[in-house]
Amino acid sequence: MAEPTQRLFFALWPSAELRDELLQAVTPLRDAAEGRLIPSENYHLTLAFLDRVPERLIPDVVTAAKFVVFQPINLALDCYGVFEQPKVLWYGSRELPESLSVLVAELRDQLAPLVALRPERIFQPHVSVVRQQNQLPNLEPPAKLLWQASDFVLVHSEYGPGRANYTVMERFSAASA
Ligand code: ATP
Ligand code: MG
């Protein structure tokens, strides 16, 4: 029988307050976007996508993430963008803070011996907010939101009816949170 696996990714996970702020900030998209709005419970910023991981490796993945040393992250969400494949409209940052690029690089280094990561692309910090969106609607730039993250999470992703279901499995704290 095939070995049991779980679909996993690491992410910054918004607080309930930030989730509400994000939802407010993307209000103009309700009318302007032709795609499907992603429910605010699902908002997140992916740091590393692991895809299917054999369950027997998950404890090692958690241990590896505990070795990641990083500083709290201050991120300004200040622009919209579209990934033409997979047709996602996102709310993200024009700038990549050093602390965030260090976190992503450290995480990849720690995970490399355990899982096959996709080749690194340019890391664009973003929160996906609309699916099935082919192009950027004509909109005013969004409100600027500050995201102060002092931890990151490991998430289990499952296909729910019509939407992804995410479960936070573990949290990892910054060195000087
Ligand atoms: P679904 O695939 O169920 O429609 P989803 O894309 O949100 O929903 P996942 O595919 O599990 O859920 O992806 C989890 C996170 O990882 C998402 O933020 C997604 O954009 C990101 N992700 C998925 N595939 C990749 C990839 N190949 N490279 C980088 N990030 C990815
Ligand atoms: Mg996906």
Side-chain angles (χ1 to χ4, degrees):
M1 211 173 80
E3 187 172 14
T5 60
Q6 287 186 24
R7 191 173 170 85
L8 303 178
F9 63 98
F10 285 98
L12 299 184
W13 204 246
S15 65
E17 293 77 28
L18 180 59
R19 244 170 240 292
D20 284 347
E21 289 174 13
L22 285 163
L23 188 59
Q24 290 298 321
V26 303
T27 302
L29 290 175
R30 283 182 183 280
D31 294 327
E34 71 236 29
R36 247 179 337 119
L37 290 169
I38 292 174
S40 63
E41 309 91 83
N42 275 4
Y43 289 168
H44 64 276
L45 188 154
T46 301
L47 301 170
F49 180 67
L50 279 56
D51 213 334
R52 297 219 147 263
V53 175
E55 285 182 356
R56 73 187 148 82
L57 281 183
I58 296 176
D60 291 349
V61 165
V62 170
T63 302
K66 286 182 181 164
F67 279 102
V68 174
V69 177
F70 69 104
Q71 301 300 316
I73 289 150
N74 286 308
L75 188 68
L77 298 172
D78 56 5
C79 65
Y80 292 128
V82 162
F83 292 142
E84 288 177 7
Q85 226 16 279
K87 296 189 189 166
V88 160
L89 189 159
W90 47 263
Y91 180 29
S93 300
R94 269 178 287 205
E95 295 202 355
L96 173 59
E98 170 91 15
S99 53
L100 182 53
S101 63
V102 168
L103 169 56
V104 170
E106 293 271 321
L107 194 52
R108 291 183 68 94
D109 280 358
Q110 291 293 340
L111 294 171
L114 292 169
V115 294
L117 293 169
R118 322 250 161 165
E120 195 164 19
R121 290 176 299 184
I122 293 170
F123 181 76
Q124 167 62 61
H126 71 277
V127 176
S128 296
V129 290
V130 183
R131 287 181 184 286
Q132 302 297 322
Q133 181 78 24
N134 292 300
Q135 58 189 359
L136 200 58
N138 192 11
L139 284 172
E140 296 285 308
K144 182 166 172 170
L145 271 186
L146 291 181
W147 188 347
Q148 297 180 304
S150 53
D151 56 14
F152 69 92
V153 297
L154 176 62
V155 186
H156 179 200
S157 168
E158 295 168 286
Y159 297 106
R163 58 176 267 187
N165 254 319
Y166 302 136
T167 310
V168 172
M169 300 171 73
E170 293 275 345
R171 269 180 196 274
F172 308 89
S173 296
S176 48

